[in-house]
Amino acid sequence: MGKKVFYPKNFQLVRMEEQCHVFWIIEKGIARYIYQEGERELTGWFDMEGDIVGSVYCLLGIGGARENIQLLEDSELIEIQLTDLRQDEAFFQNFKMKVLAHYFIEMENRLKFFQALDGKGRYLYILENKPQLLQRVPLHLIATFLGLTPESLSRIRSSIS
Amino acid sequence: MGKKVFYPKNFQLVRMEEQCHVFWIIEKGIARYIYQEGERELTGWFDMEGDIVGSVYCLLGIGGARENIQLLEDSELIEIQLTDLRQDEAFFQNFKMKVLAHYFIEMENRLKFFQALDGKGRYLYILENKPQLLQRVPLHLIATFLGLTPESLSRIRSSIS
DNA sequence: TTGCCTTCTTACCAAATGATAAGGCATGAT
DNA sequence: ATCATGCCTTATCATTTGGTAAGAAGGCAA
């Protein structure tokens, strides 16, 4: 189920507002969820090896994607067509539930992350729990995830070490 | 399906870490989702008339509640036992999916809300989109939702009018 | 090589927010 | 009535963050 594909750095997996019928599992690489908020580009999250990537809105069948999803590295992915999953309706329902539950839990944690922590606290959390991100993702993109300007992130980093 | 119940102000619908097998629909009143973050109490959200209230973790059957849920007013609720819903497994699965999808969308919006807006922006958003909240919920509790101190919220309010 | 671009940092100042303290003003209990 | 309590505001000062500008370091192409 699903076939291995190779896409280059900067390849766009999902385009905002468009329907999409594909999900991916990352074998190697990083994907970035990009939300357009007025002028600014926010990063919703970075997915890495072992993570499932795709637009939940498309999975739920409630409209086009809310985000752009792009690769930050040359990547190896398992590409899964949703129409294949639908062959077995019970399996598909179960898959949807699992994916949705996973995203829900992630979202809930991230929400507390923003509500409870200031910039320094958020950076330290990533430093302790997702240090690979800081190795592989440019800091100005990390900043768009943390809700900080690159300058503020730089200041926070220098205040620590 | 479900029976009407009346609970007083400050009644606790859901207790953190405990299993729960009940959901509610609010006919009249307000419920507050409370997350304990170290010393602080955060407000996840306020549910009002027409909203479904309950712990998603319990609904998913993946453990006890992550939050306390309390009523801020004397309230009328429709109380729904999950065991009743389970009588019809297909219906229950559909119910779970609907509730989960609803919460997911709410979470995603709230996440952008925190990532993209500063305190003033967040207050203005509530002022325009959920003005009833500001009428019915004490401002210091609104502040715990907005991720601000009551003093900062007060300052923001006075800077507007 | 040179020049351009991206990434990251630093410096400076303005604005936003937190922390602490204090006071006003209701409401409810005794 | 008196008192306590909760809610809200205001004031002051320290800290954090944003905005702007500038520059250093490295990669990449011509």
Side-chain angles (χ1 to χ4, degrees):
Chain A
M1 191 194 64
K3 72 164 194 245
K4 178 175 282 201
V5 295
F6 298 82
Y7 292 128
K9 177 173 173 173
N10 294 326
F11 184 81
Q12 183 146 359
L13 294 175
V14 171
R15 207 168 293 274
M16 188 165 47
E17 314 224 329
E18 287 185 9
Q19 289 294 340
C20 52
H21 310 89
V22 191
F23 262 70
W24 298 266
I25 297 171
I26 300 184
E27 299 233 304
K28 186 161 178 352
I30 303 189
R32 173 179 175 229
Y33 290 68
I34 306 168
Y35 292 87
Q36 198 69 36
E37 279 295 306
E39 302 292 300
R40 287 163 66 198
E41 271 190 354
L42 299 184
T43 297
W45 186 237
F46 304 98
D47 273 337
M48 299 171 49
E49 285 77 8
D51 293 325
I52 295 180
V53 185
S55 164
V56 173
Y57 276 74
C58 293
L59 179 67
L60 293 176
I62 54 179
R66 289 295 177 96
E67 67 270 294
N68 292 306
I69 304 181
Q70 287 178 358
L71 296 174
L72 297 183
E73 301 175 351
D74 297 338
S75 303
E76 301 176 27
L77 312 170
I78 306 293
E79 189 164 273
I80 302 172
Q81 303 290 331
L82 292 184
T83 48
D84 291 348
L85 295 187
R86 271 186 225 272
Q87 301 297 326
D88 182 343
E89 185 60 24
F91 177 83
F92 181 63
Q93 289 302 320
N94 194 263
F95 175 80
K96 260 168 59 168
M97 190 72 82
K98 285 275 171 49
V99 172
L100 197 51
H102 169 76
Y103 276 95
F104 173 82
I105 294 170
E106 287 283 320
M107 291 289 210
E108 193 182 40
N109 290 335
R110 232 171 288 158
L111 208 42
K112 279 194 281 185
F113 174 80
F114 280 104
Q115 228 174 346
L117 302 178
D118 62 4
K120 187 170 187 171
R122 299 201 290 275
Y123 174 73
L124 287 175
Y125 183 88
I126 296 299
L127 186 60
E128 291 189 2
N129 296 280
K130 293 282 178 182
Q132 324 94 299
L133 276 186
L134 301 178
Q135 311 294 331
R136 296 167 65 182
V137 177
L139 287 171
H140 70 276
L141 295 184
I142 298 280
T144 66
F145 165 69
L146 293 176
L148 295 170
T149 60
E151 295 84 357
S152 291
L153 176 56
S154 192
R155 201 165 24 197
I156 287 167
R157 282 163 53 81
S158 74
S159 80
I160 288 170
S161 54
Chain B
M1 191 194 64
K3 74 165 194 245
K4 179 175 282 201
V5 295
F6 298 83
Y7 291 129
K9 177 173 173 173
N10 294 327
F11 184 81
Q12 184 147 0
L13 294 175
V14 170
R15 206 169 294 272
M16 187 164 50
E17 314 227 330
E18 287 184 10
Q19 290 293 340
C20 52
H21 310 90
V22 190
F23 261 70
W24 298 266
I25 297 170
I26 300 183
E27 299 234 301
K28 184 161 180 351
I30 303 189
R32 174 181 174 227
Y33 291 67
I34 306 169
Y35 293 87
Q36 198 69 38
E37 278 297 305
E39 301 291 302
R40 287 163 65 198
E41 271 190 354
L42 299 184
T43 297
W45 186 236
F46 303 98
D47 272 339
M48 299 171 47
E49 284 78 10
D51 294 325
I52 295 181
V53 186
S55 163
V56 173
Y57 276 73
C58 293
L59 179 68
L60 292 176
I62 55 179
R66 289 295 175 97
E67 67 271 293
N68 292 305
I69 305 180
Q70 289 178 357
L71 296 175
L72 297 182
E73 301 176 350
D74 297 338
S75 301
E76 298 177 28
L77 312 170
I78 305 294
E79 189 165 274
I80 301 172
Q81 302 291 330
L82 292 184
T83 49
D84 290 349
L85 295 187
R86 272 187 224 269
Q87 301 297 326
D88 182 343
E89 184 60 24
F91 176 83
F92 181 63
Q93 288 302 320
N94 193 264
F95 175 80
K96 259 167 61 169
M97 190 73 81
K98 285 273 173 50
V99 171
L100 197 51
H102 169 75
Y103 276 94
F104 173 82
I105 294 170
E106 288 282 322
M107 291 287 212
E108 193 181 41
N109 290 335
R110 233 172 286 160
L111 208 41
K112 279 194 281 187
F113 174 81
F114 280 103
Q115 230 175 343
L117 303 178
D118 62 2
K120 187 170 185 170
R122 298 201 291 275
Y123 174 72
L124 287 174
Y125 183 88
I126 296 299
L127 186 61
E128 290 187 4
N129 296 279
K130 293 283 178 180
Q132 324 94 297
L133 276 187
L134 300 177
Q135 310 294 330
R136 294 167 66 182
V137 178
L139 287 172
H140 70 276
L141 294 184
I142 298 280
T144 67
F145 166 69
L146 293 176
L148 294 171
T149 60
E151 294 84 357
S152 291
L153 176 54
S154 192
R155 204 165 22 199
I156 288 167
R157 283 163 51 82
S158 73
S159 80
I160 290 168
S161 51

